[in-house]
Amino acid sequence: MATERRKRVKTWKEKTWYEVLAPAMFGNAKVGETPAADPTHLVGRVFETTLGDLIDDFSKSHVKLYFQVKNVNGTQALTEFIRHEMARDYVRSQIRRRSRKAEDIATVTTKDGYVIRVLSMIITFRRAQSTKVKEIRKVMRKVVEEKARERELDQFVQEMVLGKLASDIYKEAKRFHPVRKV
């Protein structure tokens, strides 16, 4: 019977720790650290963090950010922004009785040619008629498309994550119905 050779797995002591950094649009903030036997094993890994942890603001802890490692420079793993989302429990806590949630999904192209999909959501103060909701959706899509067309990806992502895009949508949508949250 032939003996099979097993591939030896590196132990913790043999692995190197790498510092994972956010992209320049987030000030190259430290996302975390991770061990790897080889730097090429890091490329493609996805890391999740909250905006609150990234900018040291606890009020933004409900915003989750996802970064993917693109290359490794020494012991630093450089990432690129993939997506962001709101925590589900936060969204559920915002929707209350006698209010309405309106969502719109828009696929937009930024000034520098990136194609991204943006899900916008508005929560009203009280129940809204379906005609008002249609108008709100149109306004959401129009604002998102305009802002994406005028800005490069880095600017657009910053405005989206930090709430500037939401405030622009809020200003336009409140003309049709009282809005509580965007």
Side-chain angles (χ1 to χ4, degrees):
M1 190 163 143
T3 59
E4 291 181 28
R5 294 200 176 242
R6 288 191 177 187
K7 186 177 176 183
R8 191 170 93 65
V9 179
K10 288 194 172 187
T11 63
W12 282 101
K13 290 179 184 176
E14 296 170 330
K15 291 184 180 183
T16 307
W17 283 86
Y18 294 89
E19 186 178 39
V20 181
L21 300 177
M25 69 178 95
F26 294 102
N28 291 335
K30 183 178 174 182
V31 175
E33 293 180 340
T34 187
D38 186 29
T40 57
H41 294 162
L42 286 177
V43 177
R45 274 196 205 173
V46 176
F47 291 89
E48 174 187 333
T49 187
T50 64
L51 183 60
D53 291 340
L54 210 59
I55 63 172
D56 292 326
D57 184 5
F58 182 73
S59 67
K60 304 279 186 191
S61 296
H62 60 279
V63 180
K64 291 194 252 179
L65 302 170
Y66 295 88
F67 301 105
Q68 185 174 26
V69 176
K70 282 299 168 193
N71 60 1
V72 179
N73 186 7
T75 59
Q76 294 181 335
L78 306 174
T79 60
E80 126 178 314
F81 176 79
I82 298 177
R83 67 185 172 115
H84 92 286
E85 62 186 29
M86 305 288 233
R88 284 189 177 164
D89 57 339
Y90 175 78
V91 173
R92 284 186 179 153
S93 72
Q94 297 301 310
I95 302 167
R96 301 197 177 117
R97 265 191 186 169
R98 293 181 290 280
S99 68
R100 176 116 184 227
K101 178 173 86 167
E103 293 179 322
D104 182 58
I105 300 172
T107 304
V108 295
T109 306
T110 61
K111 188 177 179 181
D112 50 353
Y114 286 93
V115 177
I116 54 177
R117 181 165 290 145
V118 181
L119 182 128
S120 312
M121 179 182 68
I122 282 187
I123 299 166
T124 64
F125 263 116
R126 52 184 193 268
R127 289 191 184 120
Q129 297 173 344
S130 60
T131 55
K132 299 286 185 186
V133 172
K134 282 182 185 177
E135 291 298 320
I136 289 172
R137 283 193 186 112
K138 280 184 193 175
V139 165
M140 281 194 293
R141 180 163 297 195
K142 184 183 82 145
V143 170
V144 168
E145 287 174 348
E146 283 176 4
K147 297 296 178 183
R149 199 175 314 114
E150 297 168 358
R151 287 162 179 67
E152 293 183 358
L153 180 70
D154 291 352
Q155 289 177 301
F156 185 71
V157 167
Q158 274 188 330
E159 287 188 8
M160 188 172 51
V161 170
L162 297 175
K164 173 83 171 79
L165 184 64
S167 67
D168 292 341
I169 293 172
Y170 177 84
K171 287 175 191 170
E172 293 293 320
K174 72 178 184 179
R175 295 183 303 149
F176 299 104
H177 195 78
V179 174
R180 185 158 53 90
K181 196 81 171 171
V182 179

